[in-house]
Amino acid sequence: MSKIDTLLKKALDGERLGLEDGVALWESNEIEKLGWAANQLMEQRHPEPITTFVIGRNVNYTNICDTYCRFCAFYRAPGSKEGYVLPNEKVFEKIQETVDVGGTEILMQGGTNPDLPLSYYLDLLREIKKRFPSIHMHSFSPAEVMKIKEVSGLPLEDVIRQLRDAGLDSIPGGGAEILDDRIRTKISKLKGSWRDWMNVMQTAHRVGMSTTATMVIGFGETLEERVTHLLRIREAQDETKGFLAFIVWTFQPDNTNLKREKLSAEEYLKAVAISRIMLDNIPNVQSSWVTMGPEVGKQSLSYGCNDFGSTMMEENVVSAAGTTHKVNNNLAIRLIREAGKIPAQRNTKYEILRIFKDGEFTERDFVMQN
């Protein structure tokens, strides 16, 4: 039995893989074998052949940011004529459009805007919940939360509790990139340490909020750093059990100040498979069709993903880096069926709202062009 076969058998038997094991998986070229094992592990956890998706919208409420990440094509520096903060009425309009097509989730994210006080976020969340009590606010990445904390001068837990009480339901995992300070310093020295990102997540978990976790590969990180990232997520999940899902994607270098070769679809699928194999305590692995495209997103459903993510009505951050894949509800349903799965709409808590039978599509599909 080869080393890879031994490691995959170990994982399939319920044993945990460590740092050296993970590196060995990444060094392997047997991508289909990794995908097969990851799919087996996914089916152990999700025996029904169902692939879920959520109908949601990204609302980029501000592009003003003082973190200056080298890999971001979206942000504008404070004082820039191209900087903006969306008027509240525009935010409400975008949410109404989402609700009108059966959407349940708002992923509100922006830059780390030093001019917005805590009261801005609290007032906006309260107004949103007053108008749209059923919408799930899956919003504000850890970097944004840390900026809100910095501007307010309050302890992190106080800030998160106030946001939660005003209407923040869960926190997305954006900004994790690679949870290793060597690479973080190289690509985004002002974004904070990996521990800062994790502190936000673990604090949110302690006050009863769920979050997601992410990883972006292709910054020039080592294989050891990729595996360390996964192990840090796994260790935190052992402690708090607050991560509902994990999402990995590849760095999109176009229009950014960080020049790297774009990773291949095979490298992405390998990352998806290894994530499922290593993260034995996170229930859901989400496909990243936004960056990889619909067809690769479909393939990922055979590499350990059980979820197709959001049929986003709008996405400006990745789009700014030259990646403009758009998927509407009906296309998502078709792609899931082509992968041999049964499509189902879920909410942010991964509760199934509706299963689509053969030949059935949504009453309205949508695709918003930016």
Side-chain angles (χ1 to χ4, degrees), residues 289 294 312-315 319 324-328 331 367-370:
W289 61 262
M312 292 182 184
M313 288 175 68
E314 180 176 352
E315 208 302 320
S319 301
T324 54
H325 299 298
K326 303 289 182 186
V327 173
N328 62 29
L331 179 54
V367 59
M368 296 280 287
Q369 301 296 336
N370 296 318

Side-chain angles (χ1 to χ4, degrees), residues 340-353:
K341 309 285 186 178
I342 299 168
Q345 183 187 348
R346 63 165 173 88
N347 61 18
T348 313
K349 296 177 180 177
Y350 285 81
E351 298 164 337
I352 290 180
L353 304 177

Side-chain angles (χ1 to χ4, degrees), residues 61-70 72 74-80 83-84 110-116 121 142-148 150-151 187-192:
Y61 64 97
T62 182
N63 68 344
I64 298 170
C65 187
D66 63 359
T67 301
Y68 312 116
C69 297
R70 292 175 62 201
C72 181
F74 170 71
Y75 82 86
R76 296 296 180 267
S80 167
Y84 71 81
T112 56
N113 190 329
D115 302 321
L116 296 179
Y121 297 91
E144 290 163 272
V145 173
M146 289 299 291
K147 177 56 65 174
I148 297 167
E150 177 191 315
V151 171
I187 63 175
S188 181
K189 63 175 68 173
L190 299 179
K191 203 166 200 172

Side-chain angles (χ1 to χ4, degrees), residues 136-153:
H136 185 107
M137 294 302 293
H138 181 56
S139 303
F140 311 131
S141 68
E144 290 163 272
V145 173
M146 289 299 291
K147 177 56 65 174
I148 297 167
K149 170 192 177 296
E150 177 191 315
V151 171
S152 72

Side-chain angles (χ1 to χ4, degrees), residues 93-234:
E93 182 184 313
K94 288 173 178 283
I95 296 174
Q96 184 63 60
E97 289 171 355
T98 310
V99 170
D100 288 346
V101 295
T104 60
E105 176 184 283
I106 294 295
L107 183 63
M108 194 154 70
Q109 294 186 112
T112 56
N113 190 329
D115 302 321
L116 296 179
L118 174 59
S119 59
Y120 163 83
Y121 297 91
L122 300 179
D123 292 344
L124 180 57
L125 285 166
R126 289 189 192 107
E127 288 300 315
I128 288 170
K129 285 294 184 174
K130 191 185 297 181
R131 288 167 171 76
F132 310 99
S134 63
I135 203 76
H136 185 107
M137 294 302 293
H138 181 56
S139 303
F140 311 131
S141 68
E144 290 163 272
V145 173
M146 289 299 291
K147 177 56 65 174
I148 297 167
K149 170 192 177 296
E150 177 191 315
V151 171
S152 72
L154 295 172
L156 178 61
E157 186 168 327
D158 287 2
V159 169
I160 292 177
R161 285 184 183 277
Q162 287 194 50
L163 291 169
R164 179 201 64 187
D165 293 346
L168 182 63
D169 296 299
S170 59
I171 295 177
E177 275 77 71
I178 294 291
L179 295 177
D180 182 276
D181 288 342
R182 183 194 74 85
I183 199 73
R184 293 177 79 79
T185 301
K186 211 169 173 182
I187 63 175
S188 181
K189 63 175 68 173
L190 299 179
K191 203 166 200 172
S193 68
W194 77 267
R195 196 61 255 179
D196 289 335
W197 184 93
M198 191 64 79
N199 283 343
V200 171
M201 293 311 199
Q202 290 180 301
T203 302
H205 298 166
R206 280 197 297 274
V207 303
M209 297 174 71
S210 60
T211 73
T212 55
T214 62
M215 176 168 71
V216 185
I217 61 171
F219 292 118
E221 70 284 347
T222 65
L223 299 183
E224 286 82 0
E225 286 166 342
R226 290 182 187 178
V227 180
T228 296
H229 178 109
L230 296 175
L231 294 177
R232 284 173 170 164
I233 296 285
R234 191 173 76 185

Side-chain angles (χ1 to χ4, degrees), residues 286-348:
Q286 194 180 110
S287 172
S288 184
W289 61 262
V290 178
T291 50
M292 303 312 301
E295 287 301 318
V296 178
K298 182 172 74 174
Q299 271 186 284
S300 71
L301 300 183
S302 301
Y303 279 74
C305 289
N306 65 295
D307 185 79
F308 210 57
S310 172
T311 58
M312 292 182 184
M313 288 175 68
E314 180 176 352
E315 208 302 320
N316 295 310
V317 178
V318 174
S319 301
T323 303
T324 54
H325 299 298
K326 303 289 182 186
V327 173
N328 62 29
N329 296 344
N330 290 352
L331 179 54
I333 291 168
R334 178 168 66 75
L335 291 167
I336 289 167
R337 286 199 179 118
E338 287 175 359
K341 309 285 186 178
I342 299 168
Q345 183 187 348
R346 63 165 173 88
N347 61 18
T348 313

Side-chain angles (χ1 to χ4, degrees), residues 21-42:
D21 300 333
V23 171
L25 294 182
W26 235 300
E27 288 174 339
S28 168
N29 290 321
E30 298 183 87
I31 298 176
E32 290 183 0
K33 193 176 282 187
L34 297 178
W36 177 85
N39 204 52
Q40 292 295 304
L41 290 167
M42 185 275 289

